[in-house]
Amino acid sequence: MTSTASCLSDYYAALAQIVDNHARLERLQQATSGVPLDAQDQAQLSDVQADLQKRSEMAKALADLAKAFTGLSGSKAPADVSTSAADLGTALAAIPNMPGGSDAATVLQNAGKILTQFAQERDERKMAKSIDPTIAALSQMYTQEKPVYDSIDRTYIGLAQGIALDLVNHNQVDPNSLMAPALQPFDLSSRVPTEQLSQGLADYAREQIKTKAATDIAAHSKASDTMDGALKELAKRTHELAAEGRMPQRGFPSLADVESWIEPHQKQHGK
């Protein structure tokens, strides 16, 4: 639960960064191409970014609670669990429904209200019973909102691709990176004349932009599918522990695809 919740928190933070980048791209498009800036669209992007950040904070609170669970036998554990449960309940109460999503966030808020019922218990099964509705609701929310997450990434990449291609068409792109594979082994850098790029270089740049855009969209789609599967498995395991008093021994889905997609966005955000 700890690693899944931590990964989910980073995933939401990366999506929030993408929304911020989207807003910046719209301002760039206005500056470079004179496309009017839509104040309503900018406001909606700001709201969506805040919604995603709240989801990131909620997942971080879940990870903290899961971490407290692991030390349940310690003398301070019940107090730590109680504090973490209260923090998660507060975070859940702040989760808004997203535009274009569903009312799943409301279900998650309601599920979180019973978290503190067994916070002082040292019984793992009773703890699982208390958090079972929250994990189930979290998985449900992610599944129902997943099309929105995919759309956020796809729309951003599409806008970035359009602006990048326009910059190539107007000779406003430095092609040095295209030549780097040939020159870096010899510690050399390219020197391109200031006039219009050759047709070959321009075509190569366009090909790179389109290929990378398609790759990025596919990577996010794979990551969101993997995250969805991991949350469903986590919900299933938590319910089995709550209902039967035992955790299944089957292997847990790898989160490598999610972590791989998150990594460049963390670097951009300075993490």
Side-chain angles (χ1 to χ4, degrees), residues 164 216 232:
D216 286 351
K232 287 177 178 174

Side-chain angles (χ1 to χ4, degrees), residues 256-271:
D257 291 331
V258 186
E259 293 165 349
S260 177
W261 178 80
I262 290 170
E263 185 179 5
H265 301 287
Q266 287 181 322
K267 290 179 179 178
Q268 181 182 6
H269 196 57
K271 287 191 176 182

Side-chain angles (χ1 to χ4, degrees), residues 187-205:
D187 293 325
L188 296 173
S189 58
S190 61
R191 181 167 61 86
V192 179
T194 57
E195 63 264 19
Q196 187 75 27
L197 290 179
S198 69
Q199 186 63 45
L201 271 179
D203 288 344
Y204 185 24

Side-chain angles (χ1 to χ4, degrees), residues 83-127:
T83 299
S84 297
D87 290 344
L88 177 56
T90 300
L92 290 170
I95 298 296
N97 289 311
M98 290 186 65
S102 68
D103 61 354
T106 304
V107 177
L108 189 60
Q109 292 170 5
N110 292 334
K113 292 177 182 177
I114 67 170
L115 270 176
T116 58
Q117 287 184 6
F118 299 101
Q120 294 293 336
E121 295 286 349
R122 293 174 183 266
D123 188 301
E124 188 180 55
R125 184 177 180 183
K126 288 182 178 179
M127 295 300 295

Side-chain angles (χ1 to χ4, degrees), residues 148-204:
V148 177
Y149 307 155
D150 291 338
S151 177
I152 287 171
D153 179 76
R154 190 169 54 249
T155 302
Y156 161 68
I157 293 297
L159 178 59
Q161 176 180 268
I163 293 174
L165 290 172
D166 189 58
L167 291 173
V168 171
N169 293 338
H170 288 84
N171 196 34
Q172 294 177 306
V173 172
D174 184 346
N176 286 344
S177 62
L178 300 178
M179 304 175 190
L183 298 176
Q184 279 179 348
F186 311 106
D187 293 325
L188 296 173
S189 58
S190 61
R191 181 167 61 86
V192 179
T194 57
E195 63 264 19
Q196 187 75 27
L197 290 179
S198 69
Q199 186 63 45
L201 271 179
D203 288 344
Y204 185 24

